[in-house]
Amino acid sequence: MARAATIHVCTACAHETPRWLGQCPGCGAWGTITEERANKPTGGRGGAAPTTGPAKARPGTVPAGRPTRLRDVTAPRVPRLRTGLGDVDRVLGGGLVPGSLVLLGGSPGIGKSTLLNTVLGHLEGAGTRTLYVSGEESAAQVRLRAERLAAPPRAEDVAAGIGSHSPSGLTAAMDVPILAETDLATVIATIEAERPEVCVIDSVQTMHDPDLNGAPGSVSQVREVAGRLMEVAKRLDVATVLVGHVTKEGSLAGPRVLEHLVDCVLQFEGERERTYRTLRASKNRFGSTNEAGVFEMRGVGLVEVLDPSARFVGEATKAAGSVVLCAMEGTRPLLVEVQALVSPSELVPPRRVCNGIDRNRLALVLAVLGRHAGLSTSTHDVFVNVVGGVRADEPGADLAVALAVASAARGIVPGVGGEAGAALPVACFGEVGLTGELRGVAHADRRLAEARKFGLGDVVRPERHATLRDALRAALPKRQG
């Protein structure tokens, strides 16, 4: 019996090689080459592949297209489909666009299916035709989640003031049509027959095309499944949401061509041990990629956090090593607590552990503290955490990290103007330069307005303090006695 022909494909960029390699020649990634069965050639007689391409086509056999000037192209305004969740609509740029293809990624158990069940429930309740295709769960399992969303609001939710925007009581979640299927042909036939306005595929890695070789989730399968679903979505004007798996590094699994193929890439981030989740867009052809939505996982499902600053400021601790960062999530200001712990180390080199900020950014801030502020941490372990599972990836978080580390190292409670015993924590924002200066950041007025709304009026910022040493002198009062 002849051995089946195989090829080796990179799971990151879909580059194909005839033999296994440790490093992909296409993208340079290590350990991403996997073996797959080669697809059978189709076309001409004897199974030979048809000759295609400009070199084989005879001149004049293919009609030429007629280009159109951009000013002559008509672009009708298509009304967007509101999802019923303000934060989701904000991240999408105003709602779902008919015929668009959205890729939603996130860690296992983070709440992707719960979020999409809530969205479909709101759309179904508004009279929008929906379809939920589940390749990972049975229809009975999805029903259990929908029953939780359709349950009436609990007394503690109403007492906490979240009953109005809680998903509980969403009875339309039980009316969403569901198809538990992994065969791609059956899924496409169902979409063409039902003609939904919004369709969710959970997940794209479980869909399988029997005409292709390879197991579900392989590079060839994911690429072909996504391409076929995109063709159906564009042809029938179906807003389609694909749920994607992520790797252990947190990036979307599958070939990179999948992210190029879709119109919008959403990341649902957070930690399963914490209650807060963040929805961000890394790619959006119909809106900005600077917006973010904050949700809280409760017993009834995901709840929109309409005022996340109030939650984080109310839980902030007035202690050494704690400051409040005036951050920006897209166009919305957000106050989050940054905590630091500095302790003597028995390791060489000492540990640098951070959660919610970039580790290289932490190393930069520590170097500036040692060189220009006289605060060396070369013999100490440094731990920095952004409370609530929020990520602060902007340069404006540098000053908050520096103040938190300096406060923890000196054991002094931050306080502006010598008010170390004040009831409210110190708020700050600003970028730290390599020469020890403080640099301004965007939307300073909106950050200040958000801080003043919660009584944090005396904010440490570059406009009031030119250097990092000046900011430390103002925010960390000297010990009495």
Side-chain angles (χ1 to χ4, degrees), residues 321-400:
S322 173
V323 297
V324 172
L325 166 64
C326 303
M328 289 295 298
E329 287 289 351
T331 59
R332 181 171 64 173
L334 178 64
L335 303 181
V336 294
E337 182 186 7
V338 177
Q339 293 182 343
L341 174 64
V342 179
S343 62
S345 177
E346 298 178 356
L347 302 176
V348 179
R351 288 177 292 182
R352 302 288 185 257
V353 181
C354 57
N355 184 23
I357 65 171
D358 183 43
R359 192 172 184 271
N360 294 326
R361 203 73 190 178
L362 173 61
L364 183 149
V365 172
L366 295 180
V368 176
L369 278 173
R371 178 65 179 86
H372 298 287
L375 181 64
S376 176
T377 58
S378 59
T379 59
H380 290 71
D381 294 329
V382 178
F383 305 87
V384 178
N385 177 46
V386 181
V387 178
V390 180
R391 287 202 60 85
D393 293 326
E394 60 162 336
D398 291 352
L399 183 56

Side-chain angles (χ1 to χ4, degrees), residues 170-193:
L170 187 60
T171 56
M174 298 293 295
D175 299 328
V176 175
I178 181 173
L179 174 68
E181 183 60 63
T182 59
D183 183 76
L184 180 62
T186 303
V187 171
I188 292 179
T190 305
I191 295 176
E192 292 175 341

